Amino acid sequence: MARFQRSTVPRLLYTLYSTKAAPSSSPSPTASLLLGNFEVRYFSAGSAARAKDDKEPWWKESMERLRNIGISAHIDSGKTTLTERVLYYTGRIHEIHEVRGKDGVGAKMDSMDLEREKGITIQSAATYCTWKDYQINIIDTPGHVDFTIEVERALRVLDGAILVLCSVGGVQSQSITVDRQMRRYEVPRLAFINKLDRMGADPWKVLNQARSKLRHHAAAVQVPIGLEENFKGLVDLVQQKAYYFHGSSGEKVVTEEVPADMEAIVAEKRRELIEMVSEVDDKLAEAFLNDEPISPADLEEAVRRATIARKFVPVFMGSAFKNKGVQPLLDGVLSYLPCPVEVSNYALDQTKNEEKVMLPGTPDGPLVALAFKLEEGRFGQLTYLRVYEGVVRKGDFIINVNTGKKIKVPRLVRMHSNEMEDIQEAHAGQIVAVFGVDCASGDTFTNGSVKYTMTSMNVPEPVMSLAVQPVSKDAGGQFSKALNRFQREDPTFRVGLDAESGQTIISGMGELHLDIYVERIRREYKVDATVGKPRVNFRETITQRAEFDYLHKKQSGGQGQYGRVCGYVEPLTPGSPVKFEFENMIVGQAIPSNFIPAIEKGFREAANSGSLIGHPVENIRIVITDGASHAVDSSELAFKLAAIYAFRQCYSAARPVILEPIMLVELKLPAEFQGTVAGDINKRKGVIVGNDQDGDDSIITANVPLNNMFGYSTALRSMTQGKGEFTMEYKEHLPVSQDVQMQLVNNYKADKAAE
């Protein structure tokens, strides 16, 4: 039976048949109409109902032919290059451009000028393509740890992912971070070992690293034919066929038998693959233990089951730059990664005290969609939506569960990098964008019949701040417009005002992150900004319990102010989920209960700036045990002020310390410079926690205070003759040493005195 299948008209799926073959089981139509090669049949109500019962739901086939995948990896592993090839082979683009293109065009997914100049991805970009009648939605994500939120929110809404690993660099620091994010959002994944054409390529070393460093239960599903400049093609271990890639851009895939000289290694690697999969798949294990021959179809099904259950990671190989191995990887996405219905997605029911609800993920249910990314476009705010259930149509009214607002969907589009295509409706499993909908990143939309919210994303805290101000006074409006826009788009980018100096402070995930935003303000809003010295986000905390008993009493003409608070502050237990805890343990009505919120507000306000260096105080628990009030003079303001002064009074007795952000730094450098670099890390008060050899290179892992890492890239280049590279990411806040604390406090006091 040839059936017309197109996801844009799913509701006609069981009434539109090819004239070449009619379905045997269909009821007899009451009328029919010919449309080209297709016949539309009209059924009477009774027969249509019977037909519907006989068949699967209208959406089943279109859902099974849908994949939502993300491509993530360490910096420079070839994510964008791989996406470019995927778009070319699926016919979405008609010529290939390189990331740092000499032709000045740049890769399709790097649509920002800055991305093309620097040759890095800054924003994740969405696109879709069709491969063998399957629709694939792809999100290409950045590799730099500074843009980690882009990876977080992409993985939050995807059903599967491709982890790209470099065959020379292997598993690097950012590969580990990305893998951890995939684990957090329970995303099934394939690994793709890229750059097999490069000198020193060793896919088996990378596979072993994936097993040891990422703890992947992984095995290769392909074996390369030749390596480095002799890399010619691949042998598929499941189908036992060899693939060669011919044509100017590798678009012709030629299938041949396995080369005779490779039969032994292919048999060995296939057996290893079967062993690894049978450890986690009972059905295959049974056949393997009984020594039954395992057909390609059986093995493929077993790999699919194990991958979707997140118990196994199939490893593909190739060279995206040399156009080899991309088409089999696309086949692998269809064969091994789940369709939207095969993934468990949970929502929280707001009417039942945030009870977890499993979403079946079908278009038949009530609409549930998550806004996972915002972008300010030429035509207003563009909101990326992942539809988890139901159907959203242009012109529909939808409700933002987080704010309770009812909104009309004015325009619905599918994204292809920075281009859009208007569509009328989108059903569950699709990733689309809507215009003119006012919301925040992480809001959930429904059609009003349910009150579900999707669980939010993990947003890391910013670790670094800069003071910025526009050069010319007239540019203030555009400047604040730019900052507001970036803050809405990127949850890790924060804007604040320094109360003392009156400067605008921007905070983010690192030097590159903030540099990019300052550059974008200059380019996109034509505002030149001056940037102050980078400032580290220190924190303060207390190390012991201290009592307070403070009476705030002020008498002036008319009503005075009176409020007394007693209690104690103490450090929170390590690993506590909150940073500030307030508890009211007053017995009786020493302080009327309507003043308690004002007292908590006062303590929270006081904790915003500690007296050591004026940074926020965290990990504290405040307990009030007693107090006093006055029938006339007590007010919310009086108690709030009493709380602020009580906090300041007892703070120094609680032995406060300063906490500084510690960064996990991974360095890769030629072994001969190891001594010099290690000495320099010690000078920067860093602690070396790991040292591995990788060929001629040394890989050093260290925990170093962020305050001592400014300008490190220049220092590292000069120490290693330009051959060293490093990545760093935030690890934790730890107390500073006594001498550093003294120095920071003295600097703070000197600055205050100078003002």
Side-chain angles (χ1 to χ4, degrees):
M1 174 185 112
R3 193 195 267 193
F4 177 68
Q5 196 280 318
R6 191 85 188 114
S7 61
T8 48
V9 282
R11 295 187 182 279
L12 287 177
L13 227 53
Y14 47 80
T15 56
L16 204 48
Y17 297 107
S18 166
T19 50
K20 290 177 192 159
S24 53
S25 62
S26 65
S28 50
T30 47
S32 65
L33 165 74
L34 278 174
L35 276 176
N37 283 337
F38 297 98
E39 178 186 358
V40 183
R41 297 181 179 178
Y42 298 91
F43 302 99
S44 65
S47 63
R50 280 198 305 281
K52 194 168 180 181
D53 291 341
D54 293 347
K55 279 186 205 59
E56 294 159 337
W58 58 267
W59 44 263
K60 190 159 181 14
E61 198 168 343
S62 65
M63 288 291 271
E64 282 172 358
R65 290 181 173 272
L66 185 60
R67 297 285 182 274
N68 291 316
I69 61 163
I71 297 180
S72 335
H74 185 84
I75 307 150
D76 283 346
S77 296
K79 297 176 292 295
T80 305
T81 308
L82 175 62
T83 313
E84 188 80 357
R85 301 304 186 269
V86 167
L87 294 177
Y88 177 74
Y89 296 133
T90 54
R92 289 293 290 145
I93 55 175
H94 302 297
E95 51 191 70
I96 293 175
H97 295 289
E98 295 318 325
V99 172
R100 290 180 191 248
K102 301 204 171 39
D103 53 8
V105 178
K108 175 74 198 171
M109 301 303 277
D110 286 351
S111 56
M112 258 162 72
D113 293 343
L114 259 174
E115 294 182 312
R116 293 183 172 177
E117 270 171 44
K118 291 184 180 280
I120 60 170
T121 303
I122 293 168
Q123 287 188 327
S124 52
T127 184
Y128 65 95
C129 55
T130 309
W131 179 251
K132 298 188 175 173
D133 286 343
Y134 281 73
Q135 189 190 327
I136 305 176
N137 290 317
I138 302 174
I139 297 186
D140 173 33
T141 62
H144 283 267
V145 71
D146 291 27
F147 310 112
T148 188
I149 186 68
E150 291 286 337
V151 187
E152 285 275 347
R153 56 182 164 198
L155 291 175
R156 169 69 188 81
V157 298
L158 292 171
D159 304 325
I162 299 173
L163 175 66
V164 184
L165 300 168
C166 170
S167 66
V168 183
V171 173
Q172 292 156 287
S173 60
Q174 198 56 25
S175 323
I176 298 172
T177 306
V178 169
D179 189 70
R180 196 182 309 128
Q181 289 170 321
M182 289 180 185
R183 227 163 263 228
R184 182 183 302 133
Y185 296 116
E186 301 185 341
V187 179
R189 51 204 172 279
L190 312 177
F192 178 66
I193 299 178
N194 194 13
K195 305 192 179 185
L196 289 186
D197 58 305
R198 275 186 51 189
M199 287 288 289
D202 184 351
W204 307 114
K205 175 197 81 178
V206 180
L207 177 57
N208 286 330
Q209 282 184 351
R211 287 173 183 162
S212 60
K213 287 188 179 178
L214 302 176
R215 300 194 305 284
H216 276 182
H217 190 78
V221 288
Q222 294 173 335
V223 175
I225 303 170
L227 280 175
E228 299 177 0
E229 66 268 24
N230 302 322
F231 176 50
K232 296 187 193 69
L234 297 160
V235 175
D236 185 325
L237 296 175
V238 178
Q239 306 294 342
Q240 291 176 296
K241 290 271 185 277
Y243 298 128
Y244 296 93
F245 305 89
H246 295 304
S248 58
S249 306
E251 65 277 8
K252 294 192 189 73
V253 182
V254 179
T255 309
E256 291 182 16
E257 290 306 310
V258 177
D261 59 341
M262 288 187 69
E263 279 172 3
I265 186 167
V266 167
E268 179 202 327
K269 294 291 178 191
R270 188 171 197 262
R271 185 173 174 82
E272 187 183 305
L273 170 67
I274 293 170
E275 275 177 20
M276 291 295 268
V277 178
S278 57
E279 278 178 34
V280 290
D281 186 84
D282 298 342
K283 205 169 167 192
L284 188 75
E286 204 174 309
F288 175 62
L289 292 170
N290 296 340
D291 270 346
E292 291 169 18
I294 290 167
S295 70
D298 291 343
L299 183 52
E300 189 174 310
E301 278 172 25
V303 172
R304 180 180 176 83
R305 283 193 301 270
T307 307
I308 292 175
R310 302 192 316 282
K311 292 176 180 171
F312 177 72
V313 179
V315 178
F316 288 78
M317 302 187 184
S319 163
F321 185 62
K322 288 285 185 343
N323 313 315
K324 291 185 171 77
V326 178
Q327 297 96 323
L329 177 66
L330 276 170
D331 293 339
V333 166
L334 308 187
S335 304
Y336 304 135
L337 286 181
C339 72
V341 199
E342 292 172 305
V343 181
S344 317
N345 287 307
Y346 293 95
L348 305 174
D349 191 341
Q350 296 303 314
T351 56
K352 293 184 183 165
N353 200 10
E354 298 213 338
E355 189 184 300
K356 252 188 166 190
V357 184
M358 169 104 171
L359 294 179
T362 64
D364 285 339
L367 171 71
V368 179
L370 174 74
F372 67 96
K373 178 176 155 92
L374 309 179
E375 225 173 74
E376 206 68 37
R378 290 191 302 277
F379 315 108
Q381 182 176 300
L382 182 66
T383 306
Y384 284 78
L385 286 183
R386 160 75 202 259
V387 187
Y388 280 101
E389 197 172 348
V391 180
V392 59
R393 295 182 186 81
K394 184 180 168 180
D396 272 4
F397 281 98
I398 56 175
I399 286 169
N400 182 336
V401 181
N402 301 60
T403 62
K405 282 186 190 159
K406 193 174 186 183
I407 305 156
K408 187 175 182 180
V409 180
R411 189 176 168 200
L412 200 59
V413 292
R414 272 201 302 196
M415 299 302 294
H416 176 42
S417 185
N418 57 343
E419 295 166 17
M420 301 157 205
E421 179 189 320
D422 278 284
I423 54 172
Q424 293 304 310
E425 67 169 43
H427 61 69
Q430 289 184 321
I431 291 173
V432 289
V434 289
F435 265 110
V437 171
D438 185 38
C439 67
S441 188
D443 283 0
T444 307
F445 293 97
T446 67
N447 57 0
S449 61
V450 288
K451 258 192 107 170
Y452 290 169
T453 56
M454 301 303 293
T455 50
S456 60
M457 289 161 288
N458 174 57
V459 179
E461 282 294 309
V463 292
M464 196 175 143
S465 305
L466 285 176
V468 285
Q469 59 193 65
V471 175
S472 71
K473 292 240 163 48
D474 316 338
Q478 283 292 83
F479 180 66
S480 55
K481 201 168 158 190
L483 292 183
N484 283 340
R485 171 193 156 183
F486 295 145
Q487 218 177 336
R488 284 171 73 104
E489 284 183 10
D490 182 350
T492 56
F493 177 73
R494 313 269 169 91
V495 179
L497 201 66
D498 189 331
E500 287 151 14
S501 63
Q503 287 178 307
T504 303
I505 305 287
I506 57 171
S507 310
M509 300 305 296
E511 274 179 285
L512 179 69
H513 191 204
L514 297 176
D515 284 352
I516 293 283
Y517 276 120
V518 172
E519 182 67 14
R520 283 182 67 185
I521 291 170
R522 194 171 67 74
R523 290 188 184 205
E524 294 172 31
Y525 289 87
K526 308 284 184 283
V527 176
D528 273 328
T530 54
V531 178
K533 185 180 168 292
R535 210 183 70 169
V536 173
N537 289 356
F538 290 106
R539 294 281 180 269
E540 296 183 25
T541 191
I542 55 173
T543 54
Q544 67 182 37
R545 177 174 158 152
E547 311 280 336
F548 59 82
D549 179 350
Y550 188 83
L551 170 64
H552 174 66
K553 193 167 156 189
K554 198 173 178 187
Q555 205 58 47
S556 56
Q559 187 188 355
Q561 291 179 8
Y562 184 95
R564 179 180 173 204
V565 288
C566 309
Y568 58 89
V569 296
E570 62 182 4
L572 277 171
T573 50
S576 169
V578 289
K579 308 253 170 95
F580 178 97
E581 210 173 272
F582 175 80
E583 201 169 333
N584 172 16
M585 290 177 80
I586 296 177
V587 181
Q589 285 287 317
I591 300 176
S593 52
N594 56 322
F595 293 135
I596 300 295
I599 296 174
E600 181 175 354
K601 197 175 174 189
F603 278 120
R604 278 186 188 275
E605 210 168 285
N608 275 340
S609 112
S611 54
L612 289 179
I613 52 168
H615 279 261
V617 183
E618 57 181 41
N619 295 335
I620 53 166
R621 179 167 181 263
I622 295 174
V623 179
I624 55 166
T625 54
D626 199 2
S629 64
H630 187 280
V632 179
D633 289 353
S634 284
S635 64
E636 289 195 353
L637 176 66
F639 275 109
K640 184 180 159 185
L641 290 169
I644 292 174
Y645 293 128
F647 183 80
R648 289 182 189 162
Q649 176 199 42
C650 70
Y651 188 59
S652 53
R655 300 242 326 259
V657 291
I658 298 170
L659 304 174
E660 65 181 339
I662 303 291
M663 308 303 277
L664 176 67
V665 181
E666 184 176 280
L667 301 112
K668 188 173 184 184
L669 47 122
E672 71 244 39
F673 304 113
Q674 186 178 336
T676 323
V677 172
D680 181 69
I681 288 175
N682 290 335
K683 243 190 250 163
R684 292 172 190 268
K685 300 210 163 96
V687 177
I688 295 175
V689 290
N691 194 338
D692 287 334
Q693 277 312 107
D694 179 12
D696 298 338
D697 287 341
S698 270
I699 294 169
I700 299 175
T701 335
N703 295 337
V704 191
L706 174 64
N707 206 21
N708 304 337
M709 285 298 287
F710 292 125
Y712 187 64
S713 47
T714 323
L716 183 66
R717 271 191 214 118
S718 59
M719 282 186 290
T720 59
Q721 298 170 7
K723 295 173 188 161
E725 54 184 56
F726 80 102
T727 55
M728 68 175 181
E729 59 182 291
Y730 168 72
K731 188 168 186 285
E732 59 191 340
H733 269 78
L734 287 178
V736 300
S737 58
Q738 202 55 43
D739 57 324
V740 174
Q741 179 152 327
M742 290 289 292
Q743 191 186 340
L744 288 168
V745 171
N746 292 339
N747 291 352
Y748 177 67
K749 282 180 180 161
D751 290 346
K752 292 279 277 186
E755 286 167 18

